[in-house]
């Protein structure tokens, strides 16, 4: 439920972490199962366009996870695109990471055009 605001170009957005899931396997759209010796962390967020016109949302840099051992984890697979955001309408976006089982103290980190990291502590 933590919320923060971001700026990309002249556009402003808010992001709220809705839920965090931990799993040892994922299912693809083709119903294939992907497993890991660690954990898949799925961070689901709501993104809202704070402007007055529809805009295409694309993060300037992909979000990452960081653990309390200062290890950084990038998105699993390709970057996820949210697409066109209408003003004031929340759009859900899941971000998937693969981390080792011993990863604790995870933080979800996003950087915007100010290059100031926005960080959300994840329970684990």
């Amino acid at each position: 439920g933590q919320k923060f605001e971001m700026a990309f170009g002249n556009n402003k957005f808010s992001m709220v972490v809705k839920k965090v899931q931990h799993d040892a396997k994922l299912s693809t759209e083709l119903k294939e199962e992907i497993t890991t010796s660690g954990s898949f962390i799925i961070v689901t967020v709501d993104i809202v366009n704070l402007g007055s016109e529809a805009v295409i949302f694309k993060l300037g840099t992909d979000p990452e996870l960081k653990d309390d051992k200062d290890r950084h984890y990038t998105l699993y697979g390709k970057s996820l695109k949210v697409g066109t955001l209408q003003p004031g309408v929340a759009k859900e976006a899941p971000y998937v990471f693969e981390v080792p089982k011993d990863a604790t103290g995870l933080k979800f980190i996003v950087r915007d055009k100010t290059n100031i990291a926005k960080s959300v502590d994840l329970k684990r």
Side-chain angles (χ1 to χ4, degrees):
Q2 293 178 336
K3 178 181 177 179
F4 51 93
E5 292 187 4
M6 306 171 294
F8 298 101
N10 295 325
N11 303 309
K12 292 188 188 262
F13 302 92
S14 70
M15 182 181 281
V16 176
V17 175
K18 287 177 44 174
K19 64 182 172 181
V20 179
Q21 298 168 272
H22 310 269
D23 208 331
K25 61 185 173 186
L26 293 174
S27 295
T28 67
E29 291 176 5
L30 301 174
K31 307 291 187 225
E32 297 171 330
E33 198 170 271
I34 301 169
T35 59
T36 179
S37 62
S39 291
F40 291 111
I41 307 293
I42 304 162
V43 180
T44 303
V45 301
D46 270 347
I47 301 168
V48 178
N49 172 3
L50 300 176
S52 59
E53 296 180 19
V55 295
I56 305 268
F57 179 82
K58 181 181 174 197
L59 286 173
T61 59
D62 287 333
E64 66 177 356
L65 289 185
K66 179 180 167 186
D67 69 14
D68 58 5
K69 294 180 182 175
D70 203 30
R71 297 181 291 190
H72 296 255
Y73 307 98
T74 58
L75 286 177
Y76 182 81
K78 294 182 178 180
S79 174
L80 302 173
K81 308 292 186 262
V82 173
T84 302
L85 287 176
Q86 301 301 325
V89 178
K91 198 165 217 184
E92 187 176 274
Y95 293 106
V96 180
F97 301 88
E98 183 180 22
V99 301
K101 287 185 179 178
D102 70 344
T104 57
L106 293 171
K107 294 182 184 298
F108 177 71
I109 300 169
V110 178
R111 288 177 177 78
D112 65 5
K113 78 173 188 176
T114 65
N115 212 19
I116 296 173
K118 314 304 194 240
S119 174
V120 176
D121 293 330
L122 305 180
K123 304 256 190 232
R124 181 174 160 115

mmCIF file with all atom_site columns, all heavy atoms in Angstrom, residues 64-86:
data_model
loop_
_atom_site.group_PDB
_atom_site.id
_atom_site.type_symbol
_atom_site.label_atom_id
_atom_site.label_alt_id
_atom_site.label_comp_id
_atom_site.label_asym_id
_atom_site.label_entity_id
_atom_site.label_seq_id
_atom_site.pdbx_PDB_ins_code
_atom_site.Cartn_x
_atom_site.Cartn_y
_atom_site.Cartn_z
_atom_site.occupancy
_atom_site.B_iso_or_equiv
_atom_site.pdbx_formal_charge
_atom_site.auth_seq_id
_atom_site.auth_comp_id
_atom_site.auth_asym_id
_atom_site.auth_atom_id
_atom_site.pdbx_PDB_model_num
ATOM 1   N N   . GLU A 1 64 ? 14.065 -2.479  -9.883  1.00 0.00 ? 64 GLU A N   1
ATOM 2   C CA  . GLU A 1 64 ? 14.941 -3.546  -9.422  1.00 0.00 ? 64 GLU A CA  1
ATOM 3   C C   . GLU A 1 64 ? 14.612 -3.868  -7.976  1.00 0.00 ? 64 GLU A C   1
ATOM 4   O O   . GLU A 1 64 ? 13.924 -3.101  -7.302  1.00 0.00 ? 64 GLU A O   1
ATOM 5   C CB  . GLU A 1 64 ? 16.413 -3.162  -9.560  1.00 0.00 ? 64 GLU A CB  1
ATOM 6   C CG  . GLU A 1 64 ? 16.837 -2.030  -8.655  1.00 0.00 ? 64 GLU A CG  1
ATOM 7   C CD  . GLU A 1 64 ? 18.328 -1.703  -8.759  1.00 0.00 ? 64 GLU A CD  1
ATOM 8   O OE1 . GLU A 1 64 ? 19.067 -2.391  -9.464  1.00 0.00 ? 64 GLU A OE1 1
ATOM 9   O OE2 . GLU A 1 64 ? 18.739 -0.730  -8.116  1.00 0.00 ? 64 GLU A OE2 1
ATOM 10  N N   . LEU A 1 65 ? 15.102 -5.009  -7.522  1.00 0.00 ? 65 LEU A N   1
ATOM 11  C CA  . LEU A 1 65 ? 15.033 -5.356  -6.111  1.00 0.00 ? 65 LEU A CA  1
ATOM 12  C C   . LEU A 1 65 ? 16.451 -5.319  -5.557  1.00 0.00 ? 65 LEU A C   1
ATOM 13  O O   . LEU A 1 65 ? 17.418 -5.611  -6.257  1.00 0.00 ? 65 LEU A O   1
ATOM 14  C CB  . LEU A 1 65 ? 14.477 -6.769  -5.903  1.00 0.00 ? 65 LEU A CB  1
ATOM 15  C CG  . LEU A 1 65 ? 13.004 -7.015  -6.172  1.00 0.00 ? 65 LEU A CG  1
ATOM 16  C CD1 . LEU A 1 65 ? 12.634 -8.446  -5.784  1.00 0.00 ? 65 LEU A CD1 1
ATOM 17  C CD2 . LEU A 1 65 ? 12.115 -6.039  -5.450  1.00 0.00 ? 65 LEU A CD2 1
ATOM 18  N N   . LYS A 1 66 ? 16.551 -4.963  -4.287  1.00 0.00 ? 66 LYS A N   1
ATOM 19  C CA  . LYS A 1 66 ? 17.840 -4.964  -3.597  1.00 0.00 ? 66 LYS A CA  1
ATOM 20  C C   . LYS A 1 66 ? 17.609 -5.637  -2.247  1.00 0.00 ? 66 LYS A C   1
ATOM 21  O O   . LYS A 1 66 ? 16.589 -5.384  -1.597  1.00 0.00 ? 66 LYS A O   1
ATOM 22  C CB  . LYS A 1 66 ? 18.313 -3.527  -3.407  1.00 0.00 ? 66 LYS A CB  1
ATOM 23  C CG  . LYS A 1 66 ? 19.620 -3.386  -2.675  1.00 0.00 ? 66 LYS A CG  1
ATOM 24  C CD  . LYS A 1 66 ? 19.984 -1.915  -2.556  1.00 0.00 ? 66 LYS A CD  1
ATOM 25  C CE  . LYS A 1 66 ? 21.097 -1.719  -1.560  1.00 0.00 ? 66 LYS A CE  1
ATOM 26  N NZ  . LYS A 1 66 ? 21.369 -0.314  -1.328  1.00 0.00 ? 66 LYS A NZ  1
ATOM 27  N N   . ASP A 1 67 ? 18.534 -6.511  -1.846  1.00 0.00 ? 67 ASP A N   1
ATOM 28  C CA  . ASP A 1 67 ? 18.367 -7.167  -0.556  1.00 0.00 ? 67 ASP A CA  1
ATOM 29  C C   . ASP A 1 67 ? 19.310 -6.570  0.486   1.00 0.00 ? 67 ASP A C   1
ATOM 30  O O   . ASP A 1 67 ? 20.086 -5.664  0.183   1.00 0.00 ? 67 ASP A O   1
ATOM 31  C CB  . ASP A 1 67 ? 18.501 -8.693  -0.677  1.00 0.00 ? 67 ASP A CB  1
ATOM 32  C CG  . ASP A 1 67 ? 19.907 -9.175  -1.010  1.00 0.00 ? 67 ASP A CG  1
ATOM 33  O OD1 . ASP A 1 67 ? 20.873 -8.391  -0.910  1.00 0.00 ? 67 ASP A OD1 1
ATOM 34  O OD2 . ASP A 1 67 ? 20.034 -10.355 -1.370  1.00 0.00 ? 67 ASP A OD2 1
ATOM 35  N N   . ASP A 1 68 ? 19.205 -7.082  1.714   1.00 0.00 ? 68 ASP A N   1
ATOM 36  C CA  . ASP A 1 68 ? 20.011 -6.508  2.791   1.00 0.00 ? 68 ASP A CA  1
ATOM 37  C C   . ASP A 1 68 ? 21.495 -6.882  2.715   1.00 0.00 ? 68 ASP A C   1
ATOM 38  O O   . ASP A 1 68 ? 22.292 -6.410  3.513   1.00 0.00 ? 68 ASP A O   1
ATOM 39  C CB  . ASP A 1 68 ? 19.434 -6.839  4.170   1.00 0.00 ? 68 ASP A CB  1
ATOM 40  C CG  . ASP A 1 68 ? 19.306 -8.331  4.423   1.00 0.00 ? 68 ASP A CG  1
ATOM 41  O OD1 . ASP A 1 68 ? 19.742 -9.149  3.579   1.00 0.00 ? 68 ASP A OD1 1
ATOM 42  O OD2 . ASP A 1 68 ? 18.731 -8.692  5.470   1.00 0.00 ? 68 ASP A OD2 1
ATOM 43  N N   . LYS A 1 69 ? 21.879 -7.710  1.733   1.00 0.00 ? 69 LYS A N   1
ATOM 44  C CA  . LYS A 1 69 ? 23.291 -8.007  1.473   1.00 0.00 ? 69 LYS A CA  1
ATOM 45  C C   . LYS A 1 69 ? 23.808 -7.153  0.316   1.00 0.00 ? 69 LYS A C   1
ATOM 46  O O   . LYS A 1 69 ? 24.852 -7.428  -0.240  1.00 0.00 ? 69 LYS A O   1
ATOM 47  C CB  . LYS A 1 69 ? 23.472 -9.489  1.145   1.00 0.00 ? 69 LYS A CB  1
ATOM 48  C CG  . LYS A 1 69 ? 23.158 -10.403 2.302   1.00 0.00 ? 69 LYS A CG  1
ATOM 49  C CD  . LYS A 1 69 ? 23.355 -11.850 1.910   1.00 0.00 ? 69 LYS A CD  1
ATOM 50  C CE  . LYS A 1 69 ? 22.981 -12.751 3.073   1.00 0.00 ? 69 LYS A CE  1
ATOM 51  N NZ  . LYS A 1 69 ? 23.054 -14.164 2.694   1.00 0.00 ? 69 LYS A NZ  1
ATOM 52  N N   . ASP A 1 70 ? 23.027 -6.131  -0.073  1.00 0.00 ? 70 ASP A N   1
ATOM 53  C CA  . ASP A 1 70 ? 23.351 -5.196  -1.153  1.00 0.00 ? 70 ASP A CA  1
ATOM 54  C C   . ASP A 1 70 ? 23.455 -5.879  -2.523  1.00 0.00 ? 70 ASP A C   1
ATOM 55  O O   . ASP A 1 70 ? 24.206 -5.452  -3.383  1.00 0.00 ? 70 ASP A O   1
ATOM 56  C CB  . ASP A 1 70 ? 24.633 -4.421  -0.844  1.00 0.00 ? 70 ASP A CB  1
ATOM 57  C CG  . ASP A 1 70 ? 24.681 -3.104  -1.610  1.00 0.00 ? 70 ASP A CG  1
ATOM 58  O OD1 . ASP A 1 70 ? 23.603 -2.528  -1.884  1.00 0.00 ? 70 ASP A OD1 1
ATOM 59  O OD2 . ASP A 1 70 ? 25.784 -2.660  -1.964  1.00 0.00 ? 70 ASP A OD2 1
ATOM 60  N N   . ARG A 1 71 ? 22.694 -6.962  -2.712  1.00 0.00 ? 71 ARG A N   1
ATOM 61  C CA  . ARG A 1 71 ? 22.625 -7.620  -4.017  1.00 0.00 ? 71 ARG A CA  1
ATOM 62  C C   . ARG A 1 71 ? 21.450 -7.018  -4.773  1.00 0.00 ? 71 ARG A C   1
ATOM 63  O O   . ARG A 1 71 ? 20.384 -6.793  -4.211  1.00 0.00 ? 71 ARG A O   1
ATOM 64  C CB  . ARG A 1 71 ? 22.434 -9.136  -3.853  1.00 0.00 ? 71 ARG A CB  1
ATOM 65  C CG  . ARG A 1 71 ? 23.607 -9.797  -3.138  1.00 0.00 ? 71 ARG A CG  1
ATOM 66  C CD  . ARG A 1 71 ? 23.429 -11.280 -3.003  1.00 0.00 ? 71 ARG A CD  1
ATOM 67  N NE  . ARG A 1 71 ? 22.346 -11.586 -2.074  1.00 0.00 ? 71 ARG A NE  1
ATOM 68  C CZ  . ARG A 1 71 ? 22.079 -12.812 -1.616  1.00 0.00 ? 71 ARG A CZ  1
ATOM 69  N NH1 . ARG A 1 71 ? 22.800 -13.851 -2.019  1.00 0.00 ? 71 ARG A NH1 1
ATOM 70  N NH2 . ARG A 1 71 ? 21.096 -13.013 -0.761  1.00 0.00 ? 71 ARG A NH2 1
ATOM 71  N N   . HIS A 1 72 ? 21.646 -6.752  -6.064  1.00 0.00 ? 72 HIS A N   1
ATOM 72  C CA  . HIS A 1 72 ? 20.634 -6.123  -6.911  1.00 0.00 ? 72 HIS A CA  1
ATOM 73  C C   . HIS A 1 72 ? 20.077 -7.149  -7.888  1.00 0.00 ? 72 HIS A C   1
ATOM 74  O O   . HIS A 1 72 ? 20.837 -7.880  -8.530  1.00 0.00 ? 72 HIS A O   1
ATOM 75  C CB  . HIS A 1 72 ? 21.250 -4.958  -7.692  1.00 0.00 ? 72 HIS A CB  1
ATOM 76  C CG  . HIS A 1 72 ? 21.718 -3.852  -6.797  1.00 0.00 ? 72 HIS A CG  1
ATOM 77  N ND1 . HIS A 1 72 ? 21.029 -2.673  -6.668  1.00 0.00 ? 72 HIS A ND1 1
ATOM 78  C CD2 . HIS A 1 72 ? 22.778 -3.754  -5.967  1.00 0.00 ? 72 HIS A CD2 1
ATOM 79  C CE1 . HIS A 1 72 ? 21.660 -1.898  -5.809  1.00 0.00 ? 72 HIS A CE1 1
ATOM 80  N NE2 . HIS A 1 72 ? 22.735 -2.536  -5.370  1.00 0.00 ? 72 HIS A NE2 1
ATOM 81  N N   . TYR A 1 73 ? 18.746 -7.175  -8.036  1.00 0.00 ? 73 TYR A N   1
ATOM 82  C CA  . TYR A 1 73 ? 18.067 -8.122  -8.923  1.00 0.00 ? 73 TYR A CA  1
ATOM 83  C C   . TYR A 1 73 ? 17.265 -7.349  -9.966  1.00 0.00 ? 73 TYR A C   1
ATOM 84  O O   . TYR A 1 73 ? 16.512 -6.437  -9.627  1.00 0.00 ? 73 TYR A O   1
ATOM 85  C CB  . TYR A 1 73 ? 17.136 -9.037  -8.114  1.00 0.00 ? 73 TYR A CB  1
ATOM 86  C CG  . TYR A 1 73 ? 17.853 -9.710  -6.969  1.00 0.00 ? 73 TYR A CG  1
ATOM 87  C CD1 . TYR A 1 73 ? 17.779 -9.197  -5.682  1.00 0.00 ? 73 TYR A CD1 1
ATOM 88  C CD2 . TYR A 1 73 ? 18.647 -10.827 -7.194  1.00 0.00 ? 73 TYR A CD2 1
ATOM 89  C CE1 . TYR A 1 73 ? 18.458 -9.802  -4.634  1.00 0.00 ? 73 TYR A CE1 1
ATOM 90  C CE2 . TYR A 1 73 ? 19.328 -11.441 -6.152  1.00 0.00 ? 73 TYR A CE2 1
ATOM 91  C CZ  . TYR A 1 73 ? 19.230 -10.919 -4.871  1.00 0.00 ? 73 TYR A CZ  1
ATOM 92  O OH  . TYR A 1 73 ? 19.908 -11.514 -3.840  1.00 0.00 ? 73 TYR A OH  1
ATOM 93  N N   . THR A 1 74 ? 17.452 -7.715  -11.217 1.00 0.00 ? 74 THR A N   1
ATOM 94  C CA  . THR A 1 74 ? 16.734 -7.065  -12.314 1.00 0.00 ? 74 THR A CA  1
ATOM 95  C C   . THR A 1 74 ? 15.479 -7.860  -12.651 1.00 0.00 ? 74 THR A C   1
ATOM 96  O O   . THR A 1 74 ? 15.275 -8.970  -12.151 1.00 0.00 ? 74 THR A O   1
ATOM 97  C CB  . THR A 1 74 ? 17.628 -6.956  -13.559 1.00 0.00 ? 74 THR A CB  1
ATOM 98  O OG1 . THR A 1 74 ? 18.052 -8.262  -13.938 1.00 0.00 ? 74 THR A OG1 1
ATOM 99  C CG2 . THR A 1 74 ? 18.852 -6.089  -13.280 1.00 0.00 ? 74 THR A CG2 1
ATOM 100 N N   . LEU A 1 75 ? 14.668 -7.291  -13.523 1.00 0.00 ? 75 LEU A N   1
ATOM 101 C CA  . LEU A 1 75 ? 13.436 -7.966  -13.931 1.00 0.00 ? 75 LEU A CA  1
ATOM 102 C C   . LEU A 1 75 ? 13.745 -9.316  -14.556 1.00 0.00 ? 75 LEU A C   1
ATOM 103 O O   . LEU A 1 75 ? 14.727 -9.472  -15.286 1.00 0.00 ? 75 LEU A O   1
ATOM 104 C CB  . LEU A 1 75 ? 12.663 -7.118  -14.945 1.00 0.00 ? 75 LEU A CB  1
ATOM 105 C CG  . LEU A 1 75 ? 11.948 -5.897  -14.398 1.00 0.00 ? 75 LEU A CG  1
ATOM 106 C CD1 . LEU A 1 75 ? 11.305 -5.131  -15.534 1.00 0.00 ? 75 LEU A CD1 1
ATOM 107 C CD2 . LEU A 1 75 ? 10.916 -6.273  -13.361 1.00 0.00 ? 75 LEU A CD2 1
ATOM 108 N N   . TYR A 1 76 ? 12.893 -10.277 -14.294 1.00 0.00 ? 76 TYR A N   1
ATOM 109 C CA  . TYR A 1 76 ? 13.008 -11.605 -14.886 1.00 0.00 ? 76 TYR A CA  1
ATOM 110 C C   . TYR A 1 76 ? 12.406 -11.532 -16.281 1.00 0.00 ? 76 TYR A C   1
ATOM 111 O O   . TYR A 1 76 ? 11.245 -11.193 -16.442 1.00 0.00 ? 76 TYR A O   1
ATOM 112 C CB  . TYR A 1 76 ? 12.254 -12.627 -14.030 1.00 0.00 ? 76 TYR A CB  1
ATOM 113 C CG  . TYR A 1 76 ? 12.362 -14.036 -14.544 1.00 0.00 ? 76 TYR A CG  1
ATOM 114 C CD1 . TYR A 1 76 ? 13.485 -14.800 -14.278 1.00 0.00 ? 76 TYR A CD1 1
ATOM 115 C CD2 . TYR A 1 76 ? 11.355 -14.599 -15.296 1.00 0.00 ? 76 TYR A CD2 1
ATOM 116 C CE1 . TYR A 1 76 ? 13.593 -16.090 -14.735 1.00 0.00 ? 76 TYR A CE1 1
ATOM 117 C CE2 . TYR A 1 76 ? 11.452 -15.898 -15.764 1.00 0.00 ? 76 TYR A CE2 1
ATOM 118 C CZ  . TYR A 1 76 ? 12.581 -16.632 -15.476 1.00 0.00 ? 76 TYR A CZ  1
ATOM 119 O OH  . TYR A 1 76 ? 12.684 -17.914 -15.939 1.00 0.00 ? 76 TYR A OH  1
ATOM 120 N N   . GLY A 1 77 ? 13.196 -11.808 -17.291 1.00 0.00 ? 77 GLY A N   1
ATOM 121 C CA  . GLY A 1 77 ? 12.682 -11.729 -18.661 1.00 0.00 ? 77 GLY A CA  1
ATOM 122 C C   . GLY A 1 77 ? 12.656 -10.297 -19.155 1.00 0.00 ? 77 GLY A C   1
ATOM 123 O O   . GLY A 1 77 ? 13.395 -9.441  -18.694 1.00 0.00 ? 77 GLY A O   1
ATOM 124 N N   . LYS A 1 78 ? 11.768 -10.029 -20.080 1.00 0.00 ? 78 LYS A N   1
ATOM 125 C CA  . LYS A 1 78 ? 11.676 -8.709  -20.706 1.00 0.00 ? 78 LYS A CA  1
ATOM 126 C C   . LYS A 1 78 ? 11.021 -7.695  -19.788 1.00 0.00 ? 78 LYS A C   1
ATOM 127 O O   . LYS A 1 78 ? 10.255 -8.039  -18.904 1.00 0.00 ? 78 LYS A O   1
ATOM 128 C CB  . LYS A 1 78 ? 10.853 -8.789  -21.999 1.00 0.00 ? 78 LYS A CB  1
ATOM 129 C CG  . LYS A 1 78 ? 11.512 -9.604  -23.084 1.00 0.00 ? 78 LYS A CG  1
ATOM 130 C CD  . LYS A 1 78 ? 10.648 -9.578  -24.310 1.00 0.00 ? 78 LYS A CD  1
ATOM 131 C CE  . LYS A 1 78 ? 11.316 -10.343 -25.441 1.00 0.00 ? 78 LYS A CE  1
ATOM 132 N NZ  . LYS A 1 78 ? 10.507 -10.342 -26.639 1.00 0.00 ? 78 LYS A NZ  1
ATOM 133 N N   . SER A 1 79 ? 11.300 -6.438  -20.062 1.00 0.00 ? 79 SER A N   1
ATOM 134 C CA  . SER A 1 79 ? 10.655 -5.348  -19.349 1.00 0.00 ? 79 SER A CA  1
ATOM 135 C C   . SER A 1 79 ? 9.165  -5.358  -19.669 1.00 0.00 ? 79 SER A C   1
ATOM 136 O O   . SER A 1 79 ? 8.769  -5.639  -20.792 1.00 0.00 ? 79 SER A O   1
ATOM 137 C CB  . SER A 1 79 ? 11.266 -4.021  -19.781 1.00 0.00 ? 79 SER A CB  1
ATOM 138 O OG  . SER A 1 79 ? 10.571 -2.957  -19.219 1.00 0.00 ? 79 SER A OG  1
ATOM 139 N N   . LEU A 1 80 ? 8.353  -5.062  -18.682 1.00 0.00 ? 80 LEU A N   1
ATOM 140 C CA  . LEU A 1 80 ? 6.911  -5.048  -18.887 1.00 0.00 ? 80 LEU A CA  1
ATOM 141 C C   . LEU A 1 80 ? 6.459  -3.634  -19.217 1.00 0.00 ? 80 LEU A C   1
ATOM 142 O O   . LEU A 1 80 ? 6.840  -2.680  -18.559 1.00 0.00 ? 80 LEU A O   1
ATOM 143 C CB  . LEU A 1 80 ? 6.200  -5.529  -17.620 1.00 0.00 ? 80 LEU A CB  1
ATOM 144 C CG  . LEU A 1 80 ? 6.593  -6.927  -17.170 1.00 0.00 ? 80 LEU A CG  1
ATOM 145 C CD1 . LEU A 1 80 ? 5.957  -7.232  -15.823 1.00 0.00 ? 80 LEU A CD1 1
ATOM 146 C CD2 . LEU A 1 80 ? 6.168  -7.954  -18.187 1.00 0.00 ? 80 LEU A CD2 1
ATOM 147 N N   . LYS A 1 81 ? 5.647  -3.506  -20.214 1.00 0.00 ? 81 LYS A N   1
ATOM 148 C CA  . LYS A 1 81 ? 5.112  -2.206  -20.614 1.00 0.00 ? 81 LYS A CA  1
ATOM 149 C C   . LYS A 1 81 ? 3.666  -2.104  -20.168 1.00 0.00 ? 81 LYS A C   1
ATOM 150 O O   . LYS A 1 81 ? 2.906  -3.047  -20.290 1.00 0.00 ? 81 LYS A O   1
ATOM 151 C CB  . LYS A 1 81 ? 5.178  -2.028  -22.137 1.00 0.00 ? 81 LYS A CB  1
ATOM 152 C CG  . LYS A 1 81 ? 6.553  -2.299  -22.737 1.00 0.00 ? 81 LYS A CG  1
ATOM 153 C CD  . LYS A 1 81 ? 7.558  -1.255  -22.330 1.00 0.00 ? 81 LYS A CD  1
ATOM 154 C CE  . LYS A 1 81 ? 8.863  -1.449  -23.034 1.00 0.00 ? 81 LYS A CE  1
ATOM 155 N NZ  . LYS A 1 81 ? 9.884  -2.138  -22.305 1.00 0.00 ? 81 LYS A NZ  1
ATOM 156 N N   . VAL A 1 82 ? 3.278  -0.973  -19.646 1.00 0.00 ? 82 VAL A N   1
ATOM 157 C CA  . VAL A 1 82 ? 1.909  -0.773  -19.195 1.00 0.00 ? 82 VAL A CA  1
ATOM 158 C C   . VAL A 1 82 ? 1.034  -0.277  -20.341 1.00 0.00 ? 82 VAL A C   1
ATOM 159 O O   . VAL A 1 82 ? -0.115 -0.639  -20.446 1.00 0.00 ? 82 VAL A O   1
ATOM 160 C CB  . VAL A 1 82 ? 1.866  0.209   -17.999 1.00 0.00 ? 82 VAL A CB  1
ATOM 161 C CG1 . VAL A 1 82 ? 0.446  0.554   -17.636 1.00 0.00 ? 82 VAL A CG1 1
ATOM 162 C CG2 . VAL A 1 82 ? 2.581  -0.410  -16.816 1.00 0.00 ? 82 VAL A CG2 1
ATOM 163 N N   . GLY A 1 83 ? 1.580  0.550   -21.246 1.00 0.00 ? 83 GLY A N   1
ATOM 164 C CA  . GLY A 1 83 ? 0.805  1.057   -22.367 1.00 0.00 ? 83 GLY A CA  1
ATOM 165 C C   . GLY A 1 83 ? 0.220  2.419   -22.087 1.00 0.00 ? 83 GLY A C   1
ATOM 166 O O   . GLY A 1 83 ? 0.736  3.186   -21.284 1.00 0.00 ? 83 GLY A O   1
ATOM 167 N N   . THR A 1 84 ? -0.888 2.739   -22.760 1.00 0.00 ? 84 THR A N   1
ATOM 168 C CA  . THR A 1 84 ? -1.518 4.048   -22.634 1.00 0.00 ? 84 THR A CA  1
ATOM 169 C C   . THR A 1 84 ? -2.269 4.164   -21.314 1.00 0.00 ? 84 THR A C   1
ATOM 170 O O   . THR A 1 84 ? -3.059 3.296   -20.967 1.00 0.00 ? 84 THR A O   1
ATOM 171 C CB  . THR A 1 84 ? -2.489 4.301   -23.805 1.00 0.00 ? 84 THR A CB  1
ATOM 172 O OG1 . THR A 1 84 ? -1.760 4.201   -25.024 1.00 0.00 ? 84 THR A OG1 1
ATOM 173 C CG2 . THR A 1 84 ? -3.126 5.674   -23.709 1.00 0.00 ? 84 THR A CG2 1
ATOM 174 N N   . LEU A 1 85 ? -2.013 5.257   -20.613 1.00 0.00 ? 85 LEU A N   1
ATOM 175 C CA  . LEU A 1 85 ? -2.712 5.530   -19.358 1.00 0.00 ? 85 LEU A CA  1
ATOM 176 C C   . LEU A 1 85 ? -3.602 6.748   -19.529 1.00 0.00 ? 85 LEU A C   1
ATOM 177 O O   . LEU A 1 85 ? -3.144 7.821   -19.918 1.00 0.00 ? 85 LEU A O   1
ATOM 178 C CB  . LEU A 1 85 ? -1.713 5.819   -18.238 1.00 0.00 ? 85 LEU A CB  1
ATOM 179 C CG  . LEU A 1 85 ? -0.919 4.653   -17.688 1.00 0.00 ? 85 LEU A CG  1
ATOM 180 C CD1 . LEU A 1 85 ? 0.089  5.144   -16.661 1.00 0.00 ? 85 LEU A CD1 1
ATOM 181 C CD2 . LEU A 1 85 ? -1.827 3.628   -17.060 1.00 0.00 ? 85 LEU A CD2 1
ATOM 182 N N   . GLN A 1 86 ? -4.864 6.573   -19.232 1.00 0.00 ? 86 GLN A N   1
ATOM 183 C CA  . GLN A 1 86 ? -5.812 7.685   -19.250 1.00 0.00 ? 86 GLN A CA  1
ATOM 184 C C   . GLN A 1 86 ? -5.643 8.467   -17.943 1.00 0.00 ? 86 GLN A C   1
ATOM 185 O O   . GLN A 1 86 ? -5.237 7.902   -16.920 1.00 0.00 ? 86 GLN A O   1
ATOM 186 C CB  . GLN A 1 86 ? -7.245 7.157   -19.372 1.00 0.00 ? 86 GLN A CB  1
ATOM 187 C CG  . GLN A 1 86 ? -7.497 6.320   -20.615 1.00 0.00 ? 86 GLN A CG  1
ATOM 188 C CD  . GLN A 1 86 ? -7.226 7.079   -21.909 1.00 0.00 ? 86 GLN A CD  1
ATOM 189 O OE1 . GLN A 1 86 ? -7.460 8.284   -22.003 1.00 0.00 ? 86 GLN A OE1 1
ATOM 190 N NE2 . GLN A 1 86 ? -6.721 6.370   -22.913 1.00 0.00 ? 86 GLN A NE2 1
#
